[in-house]
Amino acid sequence: MRVMGLSEESVIRVSRLWGKSAARNRGRTHLLLGHLLDTAAVAGVMWDHYLSSAFRRRLDEISGGRGRTWFMWVCGIHDCGKACPAFQALDDAEAAPVKEAGLAWGRLPVDRRQRWRHDVAGAALLRPRLVAEWGSADSAAWVWPLVAGHHGTFPSVQGLRPKHREVQGRGSSWEEVQKAVVDVFTRAVGFEDLADVRPAGALNKAEQLALSGLIVMADWIASDSEQFEGLADARKVSPAGSRQRAEEAWRRLGLRGGWGGLPLPEGPLAPLTQRLGVVPRASQRELVEQAWSMPVPGLMVAEAPMGEGKTKAALAAAEVLAARFGLDGVFVAMPTQATSDPMYEQVLSWVRSFDPELEAQVGLLHGRRRFNPEWREIWEGQRRNRVGGFAGEGESADLDPFDVYGATEEDAEYGMPSWSTEGSSGAEERADGPARWFLGNKRGLLTAFAVGTVDHLLHAATRTRHVMLRFAGLVGKVVIVDEVHAADVYMRQFLLEALRWLGQAGVPVVLLSATLPPVQRQAFADAYLSGALGSADAACPVPEAAGYPCVTAAYALDGAPVAVSSREAVPSWRGSMPTRVDWLPGIDRDGASIAAAVRQAVAGGGVALVVVNQVDRAQAIHRALVEGGFEGELRLLHGRLCSTHRAERTEECLRLLGPGAGEGRPGRMVVVATQLAEQSFDVDADLLVTDLAPVDLLLQRIGRLHRHDGTRRPKGLARPRVLVTGVAAGGGGRPRFLPASKAIYGEWPLLRAAALVAEAAGPLGGGGSTEAGWSIPADVPSLVARGYGTPEICPPEWDEAAARELWRAKQEQRERNAEGFLLTRPREWGAPTLEGLHYAGSRAASEEELDAVVRDGGRSVETVIVRRSDGGCRAHDGTWIGVHGEVVDETVVDRLLGGTVRLPTRLTEVAEATEAGLAPLPGWSGHPWLRYARALVLEEDGKAVLGGHRISYDDVLGLIVEQG
């Protein structure tokens, strides 16, 4: 500071400004300048060891080749706004030396609504200087929001004007010290002055969002008081010291990136033949070749039959794309938690093939990952160091509704608690082990390789706090979305929004589906191109593919949209099979007719899969089979089973009916399931009994039929057969549907599905039959296209037009419902900066609420089953947990959490009455896994009452809900 010519008075004042108070920083004050330099140093380490080469290249481009230094500057400058009275006055002990140095202030507002936050203060003091010294309002316009938004939301420019001048600092002394903080930091990082920082170009808005997330990441790491000891003496603050602190913290936390520069594969198909060890099928070859031929990052949509090997092809394509375009990892998005687990194991094996040590960088992103044995072996293995805890209790932050990183006194208004010893680690990570920092709330996507539900991708397209942190975890990766058709119209709005942002950020995306309606394929391409072109409206007709399987690619080249599809027919790996389709009319609730039909169908042996649209119906069918004396293996699988039972049964079904079943395949077996069995459930059934569903989902269920080659089948079931139920003939032959089916899917797609089934099975009401059936998979594209097409296909007496209008009106309403949560306002996609992105605030305060935002429903609640017993409580399996729920070791915690079950939405909607009965037990308050868990306490009669419903849990049937 003295070399720069600052007056002695200014030197003293800058040296007194605090950034972290002793009260909330492990008892040690940390000076503001020290925290800025620490954050910049962390950014430097991130540049060296974390950022993808593609993003480094973009930062070099906009900074005239000084990307590393510029990244350090923009990360470190984030907290310059703490040099204002509104912040410096927050702690009396820290404020005293600041005042003694001559930095005074008058009375400050006490109303929290009028408080002047330091993130906004930083933008307010920096913006006019950037405009003046850069000589460019445009350059300043995209940089100041990066400072203003580092606590999770981006204000408008109007928000940079304080209502009270006193909060920002009045008089020349404050102006001088604020200027000095910026100038000293800028020089210390490596620039001559602030004018020297001026970027040579601009990042686009999506790249700005990713950069903002990386700033937050650097800030959170540098704010960890266990890694960065407070420095209250300015003579101990230096760039070199901060660099050493940052490198040591990075090592202790075990942080790292992914591939770190992936070489090009040895041959065009090496990612398939060598990496994955498969003999490439034509459809797999098509996808990988498209990855080689795309001139720039883009969108690829792979459509192929169930069991075709799309996932392996997508991983191979991801290797090609990452190597070609400088990407560092992969995120694979699955439709459900249940489908995420087997995909995690597949991705884990794939990542190990690059480097065995990379297995520790593969994250599983869902709330039940604790029950995945491979994840626990890697992320928790050998880490327990005492009864009741882990070394570091690393998941505590993940379950905590607020994040302590970056917390200061001011952050109480964000809901952030002060630092405390509870839940703090103090433990050094293994250099070759997983970085448990990534387990924290909102940080999962920052791991180099991640597998999780599609919700994590959708969350990155919501107007919520810290959305930038989620988006930063996607940029620099290849994004794969499996079973993309599973997103309904509401969820699809968030998926389209995510594709716009990913397209603009240059993130390659691979979408996979067996049954994608053409209109959705076009919508996905248009959304990605809209982002890539930076235009609110971008349309490029997708050519009709030559056949099925097929691959569609969309990208922007030299400012023009490009969309291509497979020009030659690609044969499926196995020929189509004639599939018999028959009606099993009935909408009875007791399941008797279905149970009778299944018993008869497998009387001579065989495996039947029953898929219905409602848990209560599945339970009734299972009960009817048991009461009817069914002889053979019988399994029930649905979403109201507790974690342990659901995992055990899923594993059993895959073991008995999966591709490796062999001689262990049962001679007679029935699996009764809900939509869980609709996708990514690799079992092979001889017979399918299914409730009617929209035709694309019906075909997904048929994908479980005769799925594996070489399976021995009874003579009577040698040909695939489907019995369609959940529908009955009404007046004039018009179908009547299960109320649950209508509520889930709407009447119009069910009517069209019924019409298509009738073409194969004959009229629903009898009076004729047909042996036409369907040829699977050859008929899949045409059936899906007709199922969602415009021409009417139903008999006139079904009044399809009226049903279509009702369905369309509901779809449009659901689209409008989603608009209020989308990251950008309609028609404002083309805005060049992040200014005002959170124009209406952030809409979700918790992860549960965020899940409800993207799933279009009431807030889902998970509960832990607790059984009241003689003088105390037991876990769902009878394990004793004490009078107040006390747990004595982690084995008991495992058994207790194995009883986690999700309540149906209709129960969570009884709000106050339900919430009042779903609190953590008193004995759980000190445990990181349990302190926020909701206990569903079943009294000694095995029942609980919630909102007028009687709730019980049966080890076979699962959660049973009865009207009171």
Side-chain angles (χ1 to χ4, degrees), residues 777-901:
D779 289 344
V780 167
S782 62
L783 286 169
V784 173
R786 293 179 66 205
Y788 288 93
T790 301
E792 293 191 6
I793 61 175
C794 299
E797 58 271 21
W798 290 13
D799 198 9
E800 179 187 345
R804 180 188 181 98
E805 287 308 307
L806 287 173
W807 181 81
R808 179 183 294 165
K810 185 173 182 180
Q811 298 291 90
E812 290 174 353
Q813 181 59 53
R814 295 183 73 196
E815 290 180 8
R816 289 192 294 272
N817 292 345
E819 284 181 0
F821 298 96
L822 294 178
L823 188 49
T824 47
R825 281 182 280 200
R827 315 301 309 159
E828 291 195 4
W829 170 249
T833 77
L834 298 172
E835 187 255 322
L837 189 67
H838 289 82
Y839 64 95
S842 54
R843 303 295 299 271
S846 69
E847 292 295 301
E848 285 183 346
E849 289 174 346
L850 188 52
D851 288 340
V853 163
V854 300
R855 289 279 178 173
D856 190 23
R859 189 159 59 94
S860 171
V861 172
E862 282 194 337
T863 62
V864 178
I865 298 170
V866 173
R867 301 184 185 275
R868 193 86 69 188
S869 183
D870 302 326
C873 300
R874 296 184 182 274
H876 76 103
D877 65 351
T879 300
W880 175 255
I881 57 172
V883 176
H884 302 293
E886 302 90 343
V887 291
V888 296
D889 58 39
E890 290 302 313
T891 300
V892 175
V893 175
D894 287 347
R895 293 179 178 178
L896 181 60
L897 289 177
T900 301
V901 64

Side-chain angles (χ1 to χ4, degrees), residues 413-634:
E413 87 182 79
Y414 298 106
M416 293 182 178
S418 62
W419 179 90
S420 69
T421 56
E422 181 182 0
S424 61
S425 65
E428 183 169 330
E429 303 290 343
R430 301 194 319 268
D432 60 345
R436 299 175 69 80
W437 188 89
F438 291 124
L439 298 179
N441 190 21
K442 305 174 184 177
R443 293 176 242 163
L445 282 174
L446 294 170
T447 51
F449 309 96
V451 179
T453 61
V454 71
D455 301 61
H456 291 274
L457 174 60
L458 306 185
H459 292 169
T462 57
R463 195 178 63 256
T464 49
R465 284 196 60 228
H466 291 120
V467 66
M468 69 286 289
L469 199 64
R470 303 178 194 276
F471 191 73
L474 297 172
V475 173
K477 290 183 173 68
V478 179
V479 174
I480 300 171
V481 186
D482 202 4
E483 312 282 9
V484 70
H485 58 272
D488 62 20
V489 66
Y490 181 88
M491 295 173 64
R492 200 153 55 242
Q493 304 314 302
F494 297 97
L495 179 55
L496 294 171
E497 179 76 353
L499 289 174
R500 293 184 193 101
W501 286 87
L502 293 173
Q504 188 173 69
V507 175
V509 179
V510 184
L511 306 180
L512 308 177
S513 178
T515 55
L516 190 65
V519 66
Q520 291 186 28
R521 182 192 314 122
Q522 183 67 58
F524 294 148
D526 288 345
Y528 191 91
L529 290 171
S530 174
L533 295 169
S535 170
D537 293 299
C540 183
V542 174
E544 185 175 350
Y548 176 77
C550 64
V551 175
T552 298
Y555 49 88
L557 188 62
D558 297 327
V562 178
V564 297
S565 291
S566 300
R567 296 180 180 179
E568 298 181 0
V570 177
S572 177
W573 73 281
R574 64 179 181 184
S576 287
M577 295 183 291
T579 301
R580 180 177 172 180
V581 182
D582 294 315
W583 290 113
L584 179 60
I587 54 175
D588 58 293
R589 299 183 60 183
D590 61 7
S593 61
I594 295 176
V598 169
R599 274 196 303 269
Q600 180 180 352
V602 297
V607 174
L609 173 63
V610 181
V611 182
V612 294
N613 298 338
Q614 191 176 22
V615 173
D616 295 345
R617 186 166 162 83
Q619 290 172 330
I621 294 167
H622 185 278
R623 191 181 289 115
L625 283 167
V626 172
E627 294 172 353
F630 175 75
E631 296 181 359
E633 297 283 348
L634 181 60

Side-chain angles (χ1 to χ4, degrees), residues 644-847:
T644 296
H645 293 156
R646 180 167 163 177
E648 289 173 351
R649 290 186 205 174
T650 301
E651 191 279 330
E652 281 183 332
C653 289
L654 293 173
R655 175 172 53 83
L656 296 173
L657 304 176
E663 296 297 322
R665 180 181 172 88
R668 182 184 294 107
M669 183 173 182
V670 175
V671 177
V672 182
T674 56
Q675 293 94 328
L676 293 180
E678 195 168 84
Q679 53 210 1
S680 300
F681 188 52
D682 194 8
V683 298
D684 183 328
D686 303 315
L687 169 74
L688 173 68
V689 181
T690 175
D691 277 344
L692 185 71
V695 69
D696 55 330
L697 304 181
L698 199 60
L699 290 165
Q700 285 289 333
R701 298 175 187 186
I702 291 174
R704 315 307 123 193
L705 266 181
H706 289 230
R707 186 179 178 92
H708 304 142
D709 283 347
T711 302
R712 292 182 297 178
R713 310 183 193 280
K715 183 177 181 181
L717 297 173
R719 174 185 174 184
R721 185 185 179 202
V722 182
L723 295 176
V724 181
T725 187
V727 58
R734 193 177 193 275
R736 292 185 297 126
F737 306 114
L738 289 164
S741 299
K742 287 178 64 175
I744 296 168
Y745 304 116
E747 187 175 38
W748 178 73
L750 292 174
L751 284 173
R752 291 180 74 89
L756 294 171
V757 171
E759 292 178 0
L764 177 59
S769 63
T770 174
E771 288 292 325
W774 288 336
S775 180
I776 305 296
D779 289 344
V780 167
S782 62
L783 286 169
V784 173
R786 293 179 66 205
Y788 288 93
T790 301
E792 293 191 6
I793 61 175
C794 299
E797 58 271 21
W798 290 13
D799 198 9
E800 179 187 345
R804 180 188 181 98
E805 287 308 307
L806 287 173
W807 181 81
R808 179 183 294 165
K810 185 173 182 180
Q811 298 291 90
E812 290 174 353
Q813 181 59 53
R814 295 183 73 196
E815 290 180 8
R816 289 192 294 272
N817 292 345
E819 284 181 0
F821 298 96
L822 294 178
L823 188 49
T824 47
R825 281 182 280 200
R827 315 301 309 159
E828 291 195 4
W829 170 249
T833 77
L834 298 172
E835 187 255 322
L837 189 67
H838 289 82
Y839 64 95
S842 54
R843 303 295 299 271
S846 69
E847 292 295 301

Side-chain angles (χ1 to χ4, degrees), residues 98 244 305 364 397 625 819:
V98 178
Q244 181 178 352
L364 178 59
L625 283 167
E819 284 181 0

